[in-house]
């Protein structure tokens, strides 16, 4: 693109470095911000600076939090003996939205991915092992995506935790509710038959 | 969405106020920025603040420019008697990319849109009339989108300029190169027959 202004080009380049934002979209966003009052643009760039400067992670579960210990870890209503291990804060939000989970979380901060240079030491795995070894935890649920990186991470976590004597589970994989059999991929369908459960168990809430 | 942090929520809300960015995308973008080094986020929010603070518009054509008069208006190679009127800087970039236009521009800064509260006085229409009245301009090309707002703006500009004695043209509307007749909408097809041109003229470059 031929920009008439270096300042404009810089701003567009910053936006198009974001995931899923191309140059045309970036230009549209920047021109939109340019049309906003000064105070609005100030507020936008401030929100980012403040977020990056003041962001804190819960000392217990490593979820993003404004307090040293997050609301969930602090709540007396949550079952501290049940820990759900997830990739990032988006997964916590998704599970919280179901409104059915009463345990606490452990946020890994990513998945093991040698291709992207992410090893176990870049994640909060050691802290999870520590948490488990401190006692009081009965079950760890690995609620991690069914991708290659996810499976690698699950396998690594299982190896690390299997001698601690606690129950280790993974979330059920199978056909989504409302899903039609003929459109399900072969692997999911095959595994969902292999890992079939008694009908009475499928009624559990 | 249930955010675990007010700071996170603020940043996501700022992003999702941008056109075409929903809450989920905003969250993805903010988490991406959170994973970047401090300096990167600083650079991002700085680029916006500096852009908004230091942005200038060319005194002649009102295109975004780092200098008082933009490169195009300053160039001795451009034909100053031919002025192409466009909505915003994106249109200037699109026309410049064709590599075929040798005249100069006039950037309106928007289109007349009573629904959005944009009237003629919010645009640089008066400055265009002034520019024409100062003499030296032979033709004004209205290169404006074929939308309701665009047509309203074209009609208003035509009324304002028609007594100035200069040639007023609009860009040709019709079937795009490579377009197949059967997929063209009825209005475009009908108008392209009504406004047909002699074959020799269609060869003009």
């Amino acid at each position: 693109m031929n920009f008439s202004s270096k300042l404009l080009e810089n701003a567009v380049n910053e936006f198009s470095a974001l995931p899923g934002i191309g140059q045309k979209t970036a230009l549209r966003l920047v021109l939109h911000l340019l049309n906003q009052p000064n105070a609005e643009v100030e507020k936008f760039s401030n929100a980012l600076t403040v977020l990056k400067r003041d962001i804190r992670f819960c000392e217990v579960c490593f979820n993003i939090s404004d307090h040293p210990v997050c609301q969930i870890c602090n709540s007396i209503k949550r079952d501290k003996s049940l820990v759900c291990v997830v990739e990032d804060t988006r997964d916590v939000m998704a599970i919280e939205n179901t409104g059915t989970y009463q345990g606490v979380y452990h946020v890994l901060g990513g998945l093991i991915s040698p291709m992207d240079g992410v090893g176990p030491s870049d994640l909060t795995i050691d802290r999870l092992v520590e948490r488990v070894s401190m006692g009081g935890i009965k079950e760890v649920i690995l609620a991690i995506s069914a991708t290659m990186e996810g499976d690698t991470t699950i396998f690594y976590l299982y190896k690390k935790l299997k001698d601690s004597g606690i129950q280790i589970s993974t979330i059920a994989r199978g056909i989504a509710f409302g899903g039609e059999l003929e459109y399900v991929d072969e692997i999911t369908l095959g595994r969902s038959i292999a890992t079939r459960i008694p009908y009475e168990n499928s009624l559990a809430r």
Side-chain angles (χ1 to χ4, degrees), chain A:
Chain A
M1 279 201 208
N2 288 319
F3 291 96
S4 58
S5 153
K6 198 76 198 155
L7 294 173
L8 182 67
E9 186 170 359
N10 281 345
V12 169
N13 284 343
E14 288 296 329
F15 263 98
S16 60
L18 296 174
I21 308 272
Q23 277 223 310
K24 279 207 170 182
T25 307
L27 181 59
R28 192 160 50 87
L29 298 179
V30 169
L31 291 179
H32 171 85
L33 280 174
L34 257 184
N35 280 332
Q36 302 302 306
N38 264 327
E40 281 298 313
V41 179
E42 199 86 340
K43 227 178 86 200
F44 185 96
S45 73
N46 255 350
L48 285 180
T49 316
V50 171
L51 175 74
K52 187 65 186 175
R53 195 187 56 205
D54 296 344
I55 194 79
R56 284 213 190 79
F57 296 92
C58 171
E59 290 168 5
V60 181
C61 73
F62 299 97
N63 192 10
I64 293 173
S65 167
D66 292 341
H67 308 286
V69 175
C70 76
Q71 279 187 319
I72 295 173
C73 289
N74 239 338
S75 165
I76 50 161
K77 289 184 183 160
R78 308 296 290 236
D79 179 359
K80 305 292 194 305
S81 71
L82 184 61
V83 176
C84 184
V85 180
V86 295
E87 178 182 350
D88 65 20
T89 193
R90 270 176 294 187
D91 302 324
V92 174
M93 288 164 73
I95 295 173
E96 284 300 291
N97 275 340
T98 67
T100 57
Y101 180 66
Q102 292 302 321
V104 292
Y105 295 92
H106 188 90
V107 178
L108 293 175
L111 296 176
I112 297 173
S113 171
M115 295 279 282
D116 302 320
V118 183
S121 61
D122 299 313
L123 310 176
T124 62
I125 292 178
D126 288 344
R127 307 297 295 266
L128 174 63
V129 174
E130 223 171 86
R131 231 176 129 181
V132 168
S133 69
M134 281 163 64
I137 294 173
K138 287 182 194 150
E139 180 175 356
V140 164
I141 304 171
L142 306 177
I144 291 173
S145 301
T147 58
M148 203 173 67
E149 289 83 8
D151 283 341
T152 309
T153 310
I154 289 174
F155 184 65
Y156 185 88
L157 286 170
Y158 177 72
K159 276 208 312 184
K160 279 276 185 185
L161 295 172
K162 74 176 187 313
D163 298 329
S164 60
I166 60 167
Q167 170 77 45
I168 303 170
S169 5
T170 64
I171 52 172
R173 291 177 185 178
I175 292 151
F177 284 89
E180 291 186 52
L181 275 204
E182 60 183 304
Y183 299 119
V184 174
D185 67 283
E186 296 87 353
I187 297 176
T188 302
L189 190 54
R191 295 293 306 156
S192 76
I193 293 169
T195 60
R196 64 195 177 277
I197 55 171
Y199 177 64
E200 307 87 54
N201 294 6
S202 76
L203 303 173
R205 307 205 108 244

